[in-house]
């Protein structure tokens, strides 16, 4: 069935490796789930990844690629803020991975940055080395980015706006914009301001929340779907607006409705193909789990003593790749399960009941959005 995860015994190798190059950040965004959330493991980790850890991580990636005969892998350099190191360590990490990979396997490199430290020289240097750069923004105006401040409370927008301009000059380097939804912001203003920046892609992210730590929402009657309504407004503007940036959550849902597998953990039932290596060499699950409880992303594994095949066998990894079988009864019986997939795994958590075997805390919002997109798609097909 399209989009279905394979069973728990099937071997689906990792193809995306998120490597932490710096465990600190120069911003103090008010909604940050890493530095203001329940997991404080970053405090005990080295600020920058040591060279020995880089070499061993490269060895483990190459070992995994060789074992599973991978033709390509994706390497995302993250933080914290990865550009706190400057470009040289990023180039060194890429060179180590490329040198270790077996013949016939290539690597695509990306950096996710808040943009405040980006310079023309950095864009040129990383672009020449084949990197693509993604920006994290909350919109395309100073007011929409009011939550993205530094540790002294100063706005990050002037520097981030400069980064947008620099990347706009190098479209082959610009990967796109990640935008965490602020439910109090006007969705039309957010959409229009981001569209005006002309990125190749926008990914709207639901704030990382769960049943034990619910998402922020304005007061109102029970049964509302504020995030679903917000996204439906943006979808209509995007759908009716003509050529513009690809919006990942919308194209993922459209693809799933048409029978294609997903490539995101936000929706669908496709296998999880990513892991994280932190600055101390710890092998971890995706960072979003850190929004649930202390140690939720930990595996107890590291690149010095364990292979990435060991990580494949970890119970936490297995739970996230078990597809329909890993969902609770309500989700398994839902007509939208093939498209929704239970939503983001971290958003299902409830400390006092079922752990992660719950519907997403955004269940009603996701249903609202999926049904709206399906209706717009059906109407368009009917007209043609």
């Amino acid at each position: 069935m399209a989009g279905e995860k394979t069973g728990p015994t099937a071997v689906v190798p990792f193809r995306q490796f998120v490597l932490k190059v710096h465990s600190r950040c120069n911003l103090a965004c008010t909604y940050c789930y890493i530095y203001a959330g329940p997991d404080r493991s970053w405090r005990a980790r080295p600020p920058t990844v040591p060279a020995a850890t880089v070499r061993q991580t490269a060895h483990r990636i190459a070992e995994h690629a060789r074992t599973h005969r991978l033709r390509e892998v994706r390497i995302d350099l993250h933080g914290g803020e990865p550009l706190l190191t400057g470009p040289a360590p990023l180039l060194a990490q890429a060179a180590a991975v490329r040198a270790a990979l077996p013949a016939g396997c290539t690597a695509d490199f990306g950096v996710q940055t808040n943009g405040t430290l980006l310079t023309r020289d950095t864009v040129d240097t990383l672009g020449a080395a084949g990197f693509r750069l993604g920006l994290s923004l909350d919109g395309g105006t100073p007011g929409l980015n009011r939550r993205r401040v530094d540790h002294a409370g100063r706005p990050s927008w002037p520097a981030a706006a400069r980064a947008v301009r620099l990347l706009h000059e190098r479209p082959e380097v610009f990967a796109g914009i990640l935008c965490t939804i602020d439910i109090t912001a006007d969705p039309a203003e957010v959409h229009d301001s981001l569209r005006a920046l002309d990125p190749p892609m926008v990914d709207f992210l639901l704030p990382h929340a769960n049943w034990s730590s619910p998402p922020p929402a304005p007061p109102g009657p029970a049964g509302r779907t504020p995030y679903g309504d917000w996204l439906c407004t943006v979808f209509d503007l995007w759908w009716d607006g003509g050529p513009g940036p690809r919006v990942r959550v919308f194209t993922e849902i459209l693809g799933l409705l048409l029978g294609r597998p997903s490539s995101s953990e936000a929706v669908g039932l496709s296998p999880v193909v990513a892991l994280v290596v932190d600055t101390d060499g710890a092998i971890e699950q995706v960072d979003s789990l850190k929004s649930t409880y202390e140690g939720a992303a930990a595996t107890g594994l590291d690149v010095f003593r364990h292979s990435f095949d060991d990580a494949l066998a970890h119970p936490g990894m297995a739970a996230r790749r078990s597809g329909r079988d890993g969902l609770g009864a309500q989700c398994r019986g839902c007509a939208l399960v093939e498209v929704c997939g239970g939503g983001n795994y971290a958003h299902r958590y409830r400390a006092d009941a079922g752990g992660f075997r719950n519907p997403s805390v955004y269940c009603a919002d996701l249903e609202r959005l999926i049904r709206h997109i399906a209706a717009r798609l059906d109407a368009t097909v009917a007209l043609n």
Side-chain angles (χ1 to χ4, degrees), residues 20 33-34 39 41 45 275-276 278 282-301 314 316-317 320 356:
K20 298 297 187 75
Y33 67 93
I34 294 291
D39 188 293
S41 57
R45 293 194 159 119
L275 61 67
V276 177
D278 220 307
I283 299 171
E284 297 208 320
Q285 301 184 69
V286 291
D287 276 350
S288 58
L289 290 175
K290 295 182 178 182
S291 65
T292 59
Y293 60 88
E294 177 80 40
T299 65
L301 310 176
H314 184 272
M317 296 286 192
R320 288 173 47 239
F356 293 96

Side-chain angles (χ1 to χ4, degrees), residues 12 51 70 126 131 134 149 151-152 168 182 185 197 207 220 244 320 331 337 367-368:
V12 180
L70 302 181
L126 293 177
F131 280 83
V149 296
H151 292 272
H168 193 263
D182 177 0
L197 300 181
R320 288 173 47 239
C331 289
V337 65
E367 179 176 0
R368 165 87 167 94

Side-chain angles (χ1 to χ4, degrees), residues 105-138:
C105 182
T106 60
D108 292 326
F109 286 87
V111 174
Q112 189 65 34
T113 174
N114 59 41
T116 58
L117 302 174
L118 204 60
T119 65
R120 190 177 304 278
D121 285 346
T122 298
V123 173
D124 291 343
T125 299
L126 293 177
F131 280 83
R132 300 191 73 215
L133 306 181
L135 292 179
S136 297
L137 295 173
D138 291 347

Side-chain angles (χ1 to χ4, degrees), residues 33-49:
Y33 67 93
I34 294 291
Y35 301 108
D39 188 293
R40 300 303 176 94
S41 57
W42 61 271
R43 294 177 180 270
R45 293 194 159 119
T48 58
V49 59

Side-chain angles (χ1 to χ4, degrees), residues 21 24-27 29 31 76-86 90 110-119 122-123 126 132-138 145 148 156 159-160 162-164 167 173-179:
V21 297
R24 307 296 190 267
C25 188
N26 61 327
L27 295 188
C29 302
Y31 56 89
D76 290 312
L77 304 186
H78 273 235
E81 172 48 49
L83 292 183
L84 280 168
T85 68
L90 308 184
V111 174
Q112 189 65 34
T113 174
N114 59 41
T116 58
L117 302 174
L118 204 60
T119 65
T122 298
V123 173
L126 293 177
R132 300 191 73 215
L133 306 181
L135 292 179
S136 297
L137 295 173
D138 291 347
N145 285 277
R148 301 184 64 80
S156 66
R162 182 192 65 232
V164 173
L167 288 172
V173 180
F174 196 3
I177 292 173
L178 296 185
C179 177

